[in-house]
Amino acid sequence: MRLTVCGDCYAEDADRAAGLERLRAVAARVGASVRLVDCLDACDTANVLVVQRPGESPVWLGWVLGADVLADVAAWLTSGGPLPDILDLHRVTAPGLRKAQWAGE
């Protein structure tokens, strides 16, 4: 499993840096790698996290702010189950897919 994190989102202040450290701790517990990239081009939904589980499509989550959301992410990753409803509220469309949708209109 890989977690891709928008570095621009998490670089803005100390609270976000602490959130990144909590995310890294969760990843370590579930055997996931964390990949920090410069920008995921979804700034309107910062903080952005992309979860790629083996054999599944990536799940893009936005507004991953604060300990409560990180706890929900941790519980989901630990359970290995489907995306829970509470995190479905954080699901966002990948920027490339949004652009393709707009081009088709």
Side-chain angles (χ1 to χ4, degrees):
M1 177 179 352
R2 181 176 62 215
L3 310 178
T4 302
V5 179
C6 183
D8 284 352
C9 291
Y10 281 90
E12 301 225 352
D13 61 41
D15 287 342
R16 289 181 177 178
L20 179 57
E21 289 308 311
R22 286 193 298 269
L23 192 58
R24 284 184 170 139
V26 168
R29 283 197 310 271
V30 299
S33 64
V34 175
R35 184 173 150 224
L36 188 64
V37 298
D38 288 336
C39 182
L40 289 169
D41 197 26
C43 302
D44 55 331
T45 60
N47 291 354
V48 179
L49 168 67
V50 181
V51 178
Q52 177 68 57
R53 299 197 306 188
E56 296 182 15
S57 297
V59 175
W60 283 66
L61 300 173
W63 308 285
V64 182
L65 301 162
D68 290 342
V69 177
L70 287 173
D72 292 335
V73 169
W76 171 49
L77 297 177
T78 302
S79 77
L83 187 69
D85 291 342
I86 191 71
L87 286 178
D88 197 46
L89 296 171
H90 291 268
R91 186 181 281 223
V92 297
T93 302
L97 294 176
R98 281 188 291 192
K99 290 174 186 172
Q101 289 170 347
W102 292 335
E105 293 180 354

